[in-house]
Amino acid sequence: MRETLERAEPLGGHDVLVQYNDRTPQSLFPRLDDRGYPYAAVGTDTPTAVVTAIWSGEGEWTVSDERAGEGDQTDARERSGEGDAT
């Protein structure tokens, strides 16, 4: 988690940090929220893999992948404060 937060610090513009995990990194999300980083976690076709994208709070990015809102995955608009969570 420390390495992910360190790698997120220099993000700017259109930079995106993509992280692959064997499960959703739930303990990372509150720390990203505290630092103002929008993110989205998307499940993959492999049940033991989750992709998390983290980007700068600058700019207006949204998740265009339909799967981003599936199940218990995080919707980037909800995390960035855009849109409503319904």
Side-chain angles (χ1 to χ4, degrees), residues 43-78:
T44 66
D45 294 337
T46 305
T48 59
V50 174
V51 177
T52 303
I54 304 164
W55 57 94
S56 167
E58 304 166 5
E60 297 181 24
W61 287 67
T62 59
V63 175
S64 60
D65 184 341
E66 295 173 0
R67 297 184 314 170
E70 287 183 3
D72 66 340
Q73 304 306 319
T74 304
D75 183 324
R77 291 168 299 184
E78 179 183 341

Side-chain angles (χ1 to χ4, degrees), residues 13-50:
H14 295 287
D15 296 335
V16 177
L17 174 63
V18 177
Q19 175 174 295
Y20 296 88
N21 298 93
D22 59 353
R23 62 187 175 275
T24 303
Q26 295 294 335
S27 61
L28 175 64
F29 297 157
R31 293 176 187 238
L32 292 172
D33 288 335
D34 290 346
R35 290 167 174 78
Y37 291 105
Y39 57 88
V42 181
T44 66
D45 294 337
T46 305
T48 59
V50 174

